Amino acid sequence: MGQTPDDMFGDEDFPAYTIGRAAEIVGTTQEFLRRLDEAKLIDPQRSAGGHRRYSRYQLRLAARAREMVDQGTALEAACRIIILEDQLEDALRQNQNRQRH
């Protein structure tokens, strides 16, 4: 069964944004978003026509990368740091869940 509009609105992973809108929201260029895809930080879904579609979660990652790059961190290093931070956060969350059960 498909998602309803209410389900999609609350879904952090729903690919709701085109590359143009995503770049506008993040305050960067479409090329920067493509470079994040190449660096494996984000992997946008593709529309039936092959166009990139971004989720809110991916936009948050892109914004973090843009901030780090703006502060002088190399793009590849920023992407690696963000990936490691997310992996650590996920591991800590899983550990907390295991301790509760």
Side-chain angles (χ1 to χ4, degrees), residues 16 21 37 43 59 62 70 72 79:
R21 182 69 178 127
D37 187 4
D43 184 21
L59 296 184
D70 287 351
C79 291

Side-chain angles (χ1 to χ4, degrees), residues 69-89:
V69 169
D70 287 351
Q71 294 172 358
T73 304
L75 178 76
E76 294 77 15
C79 291
R80 186 67 183 141
I81 290 166
I82 293 167
I83 290 167
L84 290 171
E85 287 174 344
D86 278 2
Q87 288 173 345
L88 176 59
E89 185 178 316

Side-chain angles (χ1 to χ4, degrees), residues 22-60:
E24 183 180 317
I25 291 168
V26 174
T28 191
T29 64
Q30 293 180 22
E31 178 59 28
F32 183 80
L33 293 176
R34 288 186 198 99
R35 289 180 59 210
L36 295 180
D37 187 4
E38 292 167 7
K40 309 279 189 245
L41 177 62
I42 53 179
D43 184 21
Q45 289 190 19
R46 300 287 181 144
S47 69
H51 300 282
R52 289 174 172 89
R53 302 289 293 186
Y54 296 86
S55 68
R56 289 190 311 217
Y57 173 73
Q58 290 171 327
L59 296 184
R60 280 197 304 279

Side-chain angles (χ1 to χ4, degrees), residues 86-101:
D86 278 2
Q87 288 173 345
L88 176 59
E89 185 178 316
D90 187 46
L92 292 172
R93 187 173 31 256
Q94 288 178 18
N95 191 34
Q96 278 185 329
N97 289 339
R98 285 188 186 114
Q99 289 178 355
R100 285 188 209 136
H101 295 101

